[in-house]
Amino acid sequence: MAFHLMQRDRVGAGVLVQALSEALQTIQHCVQCNNFTEAPLCELCNSERRDAHLLCVIETPADLLMMEQTHAYRGMYFVLMGRLSPLDGIGPQEIRLDRLLDRATDGVTEEVILATNFTAEGEATAHAISELLRPKGLRVTRIARGVPVGGELEYVDSGTLAQALLERRPTSR
Amino acid sequence: MAFHLMQRDRVGAGVLVQALSEALQTIQHCVQCNNFTEAPLCELCNSERRDAHLLCVIETPADLLMMEQTHAYRGMYFVLMGRLSPLDGIGPQEIRLDRLLDRATDGVTEEVILATNFTAEGEATAHAISELLRPKGLRVTRIARGVPVGGELEYVDSGTLAQALLERRPTSR
């Protein structure tokens, strides 16, 4: 990209410099949800139309966009900006679990929904957060694991099918 | 295939004729689980190592193979050999829901696990069976819907994510 800019798009390089340095100066982490924002408190945390009793923990800002696209969630968020990954030297300090603890025990939050990925690191992160928050008397839940909507048994991997079977639930009326 | 066999593989065509006519004579439906079998009662229904209290309802013999590959299920099966599909003229009679009712109310079965696909037809079929069996005092469950094992939020469709959120469950100790 650097070679391309130097050789063929020096004007574009200037625009990029401008944009990046502006971003460096204005973009910060929201003091409440840890997402990227230009104000100290982001728009979502500042909104009065969100349900403050629910706190959804996710790994990245991209995951927050995905959650919002479902239009099924009206609560607050906490963005970890990563996941536990001991092999890469990322422990509880690096993903700021202390700040999550402060956020979750603010007296308003009643339920913490763990929506980290269903990868090994995401599951370990969810487990660690659950162990951290459950003793504080908070209701800690995990989003469901199973067969995707529209999925056919024949094309689902056997690990997912085994989990779906294990986590079966009574049919509703 | 017919042209290929006539032109290039007349011996193979003979073998196919033999195999198909043998299959036509020997393959029938198991009187208990409705799967294909050579004996009146299939090997699986005849086995004493299966848990007779559990009955898993699936659409096709291929789904049975998938379930067995998980090594997570030790109960019995009922193979619908199809699904409810009113647009194609397939109603409760065509998929033998009366036989399923007889099978499930044999006095031994305690829980019926609905493992039809998560397509529109599969869901409708599961709902119909649930309505049919719940009044009989049976525990009727559905395999879990949600994010697949190994799945990342960023690559999951929003319908599945919304369901996973809706069907979240408390984290276990």
Side-chain angles (χ1 to χ4, degrees):
Chain A
M1 195 181 100
F3 282 125
H4 175 83
L5 287 173
M6 287 305 108
Q7 184 72 23
R8 302 191 190 272
D9 195 4
R10 298 183 77 93
V11 177
V15 174
L16 190 60
V17 165
Q18 186 76 24
L20 263 179
S21 50
E22 269 180 37
L24 277 174
Q25 278 163 22
T26 57
I27 304 283
Q28 50 189 305
H29 289 282
C30 170
V31 292
Q32 197 166 314
C33 74
N34 202 32
N35 198 7
F36 292 127
T37 169
E38 293 192 2
L41 196 66
C42 77
E43 219 173 294
L44 204 147
C45 287
N46 220 351
S47 166
E48 289 184 0
R49 302 175 64 187
R50 310 288 305 197
D51 181 354
H53 302 304
L54 292 175
L55 181 67
C56 181
V57 179
I58 45 173
E59 294 183 13
T60 66
D63 293 344
L64 191 151
L65 291 179
M66 284 302 297
M67 290 291 292
E68 285 298 286
Q69 273 172 28
T70 66
H71 298 292
Y73 182 67
R74 304 302 302 160
M76 316 299 283
Y77 291 97
F78 187 87
V79 186
L80 294 171
M81 294 285 172
R83 62 203 67 85
L84 287 183
S85 183
L87 288 180
D88 303 315
I90 299 175
Q93 285 82 40
E94 279 71 20
I95 58 169
R96 313 290 300 270
L97 286 194
D98 52 330
R99 275 194 53 192
L100 171 57
L101 184 61
D102 288 347
R103 173 72 182 87
T105 54
D106 61 354
V108 180
T109 305
E110 288 170 4
E111 178 179 347
V112 177
I113 303 168
L114 303 177
T116 54
N117 290 333
F118 284 96
T119 55
E121 288 94 348
E123 290 277 40
T125 308
H127 182 73
I129 297 174
S130 172
E131 293 291 296
L132 185 73
L133 298 183
R134 227 169 339 95
K136 307 289 173 192
L138 286 158
R139 182 174 147 81
V140 184
T141 54
R142 182 84 168 107
I143 58 170
R145 203 165 22 178
V147 179
V149 172
E152 301 186 31
L153 265 63
E154 212 179 327
Y155 306 108
V156 166
D157 65 292
S158 62
T160 295
L161 195 52
Q163 273 294 342
L165 193 65
L166 205 69
E167 299 189 355
R168 64 185 182 270
R169 57 180 60 212
T171 57
S172 53
R173 192 155 298 277
Chain B
M1 196 180 99
F3 283 126
H4 174 85
L5 286 174
M6 288 305 108
Q7 185 72 25
R8 302 190 190 272
D9 195 3
R10 298 183 76 95
V11 176
V15 173
L16 190 60
V17 165
Q18 185 78 23
L20 263 179
S21 50
E22 270 180 37
L24 276 174
Q25 278 162 23
T26 59
I27 304 281
Q28 49 190 307
H29 289 282
C30 170
V31 292
Q32 196 166 315
C33 73
N34 202 33
N35 197 8
F36 292 128
T37 170
E38 292 193 1
L41 196 65
C42 77
E43 220 174 294
L44 204 147
C45 287
N46 221 350
S47 167
E48 288 183 1
R49 302 175 64 186
R50 312 287 304 197
D51 181 354
H53 303 305
L54 292 175
L55 181 68
C56 180
V57 179
I58 47 175
E59 294 183 12
T60 66
D63 294 345
L64 191 151
L65 291 179
M66 286 301 299
M67 291 292 291
E68 285 297 288
Q69 273 172 28
T70 66
H71 298 291
Y73 182 67
R74 304 300 302 158
M76 316 300 280
Y77 292 97
F78 188 87
V79 186
L80 293 171
M81 295 285 170
R83 62 204 68 84
L84 286 183
S85 183
L87 289 179
D88 304 313
I90 298 174
Q93 284 81 40
E94 279 71 18
I95 58 171
R96 313 291 300 270
L97 287 193
D98 52 330
R99 276 194 52 192
L100 170 58
L101 182 62
D102 288 346
R103 172 72 183 89
T105 54
D106 61 355
V108 181
T109 306
E110 287 170 5
E111 178 179 347
V112 176
I113 302 169
L114 304 176
T116 54
N117 290 331
F118 284 96
T119 55
E121 288 93 348
E123 290 278 40
T125 308
H127 181 74
I129 296 173
S130 171
E131 293 292 296
L132 184 72
L133 298 184
R134 229 173 334 97
K136 307 289 173 191
L138 286 159
R139 180 173 148 81
V140 184
T141 56
R142 181 84 168 107
I143 58 170
R145 203 167 20 181
V147 179
V149 172
E152 301 186 29
L153 263 63
E154 211 179 329
Y155 305 108
V156 166
D157 66 291
S158 62
T160 296
L161 194 53
Q163 274 293 342
L165 191 65
L166 205 69
E167 299 189 354
R168 64 186 184 269
R169 56 179 61 212
T171 57
S172 53
R173 192 155 299 276

